[in-house]
Amino acid sequence: MKNLYLIGNWKQHGSQAAIEAFADQWSSEQHPRLRIAIAPPFPYLQALGEALANCDLAAQDCSVHVQGAHTGEVSADMLVDLGCQYVLVGHSERRQYHGETDELIAQKVAAAQAAGVTPVLCVGEQQAAREAEKQDDVVRAQLRSALATSQPNLLIAYEPVWAIGTGLTATPDQANQMHAMIRQEVESLLGAAQATPILYGGSVNAENADALFACPHVDGALVGGASLEAASFMAIAQSASNNLSH
Ligand code: 13P
């Protein structure tokens, strides 16, 4: 029986007041096979962890270094100290706007695993690659590089860049096909296809979540915009719960 994972990525949004408003509407009743986490900006991890019951904590990034003279960096051990279960690694916004390479991302995956926080490796193609039908090649190359030194303990999020924040979503068929390819690749790289949850991300909302969760290879969602309000995030959680109850 599969579990579903729902992770909210708040990106650079949030405030103390927003956390309080979110917590006021939060319902801690979840399906036992639904794992929910939220990734707020670093300064809010502790406050969010204290405010929400039955919600795991995720960070949005971590350093490849354990400690040292690296101003502005946050180590995976520090995330463990704060109670984080997950850390996003290789989000397309880090790749695109912060120059993160596949090599750096592989080091971050390894750093997170060494510290005991589960990496959520993000992969996905740009629009031009999808138009040229090169999406499988792009994602396969990202996986091969990022997982070169990885242990089997991770989650993967497929986030087609053209679907992030655009209101465009991969169709359930497109998501399912890509997830099947990712699963095959994870099997050949780590021998851990069944143990590795593969989440879909890119304009997931309460309207499209049902059809995505119904796909056999979709094990959950990584949600940006629709995770900022408790009501819309909980509506997606409800759709995940309904799927698990069928
Ligand atoms: P949106 O859900 O806002 O498209 O963001 C997706 C995302 O990047 C989550 O990491």
Side-chain angles (χ1 to χ4, degrees):
M1 255 192 306
K2 78 173 179 179
N3 295 327
L4 284 176
Y5 294 78
L6 181 59
I7 303 181
N9 175 10
W10 281 8
K11 307 190 179 185
Q12 197 187 348
H13 296 284
S15 63
Q16 195 58 43
I19 289 173
E20 284 159 21
F22 197 98
D24 280 348
Q25 295 181 50
W26 178 250
S27 152
S28 59
E29 301 286 305
Q30 324 290 359
H31 192 286
R33 282 186 289 116
L34 173 61
R35 306 278 149 78
I36 302 190
I38 295 180
F42 289 130
Y44 298 122
L45 281 165
Q46 190 158 8
L48 194 77
E50 287 166 5
L52 300 185
N54 228 343
C55 180
D56 288 337
L57 281 180
Q60 297 178 17
D61 187 26
C62 71
S63 169
V64 299
H65 304 288
V66 173
Q67 61 179 12
H70 307 290
T71 302
E73 292 281 79
V74 173
S75 74
D77 286 310
M78 294 169 187
L79 300 178
V80 172
D81 265 354
L82 282 174
C84 283
Q85 283 84 2
Y86 306 100
V87 56
L88 307 185
V89 174
H91 192 280
S92 64
E93 288 152 15
R94 303 290 317 168
R95 295 175 189 259
Q96 232 178 322
Y97 307 124
H98 300 270
E100 293 203 0
T101 61
D102 283 331
E103 290 68 28
L104 183 84
I105 291 162
Q107 290 175 22
K108 290 189 175 188
V109 167
Q113 288 173 335
V117 54
T118 303
V120 181
L121 170 67
C122 303
V123 294
E125 80 285 358
Q126 305 266 357
Q127 178 149 22
R130 171 66 64 171
E131 282 165 5
E133 296 182 8
K134 294 271 189 267
Q135 65 274 10
D136 285 8
D137 297 344
V138 170
V139 170
R140 201 179 282 118
Q142 290 173 338
L143 289 169
R144 287 185 181 170
S145 166
L147 299 183
T149 54
S150 174
Q151 305 293 318
N153 170 32
L154 83 163
L155 277 62
I156 293 178
Y158 168 55
E159 297 205 302
V161 179
W162 47 271
I164 295 179
T166 57
L168 297 172
T169 322
T171 63
D173 269 358
Q174 285 173 326
N176 198 51
Q177 272 175 29
M178 178 61 83
H179 286 214
M181 191 284 284
I182 293 172
R183 206 174 289 288
Q184 239 171 28
E185 201 59 35
V186 170
E187 183 61 26
S188 76
L189 293 166
L190 303 176
Q194 296 317 317
T196 305
I198 306 173
L199 283 54
Y200 169 78
S203 299
V204 175
N205 57 37
E207 284 71 51
N208 58 30
D210 271 342
L212 289 161
F213 291 141
C215 296
H217 287 291
V218 174
D219 301 314
L222 179 56
V223 182
S227 71
L228 294 174
E229 301 285 338
S232 48
F233 195 51
M234 286 191 314
I236 299 171
Q238 186 58 51
S239 130
S241 296
N242 294 345
N243 181 276
L244 289 167
S245 304
H246 290 160

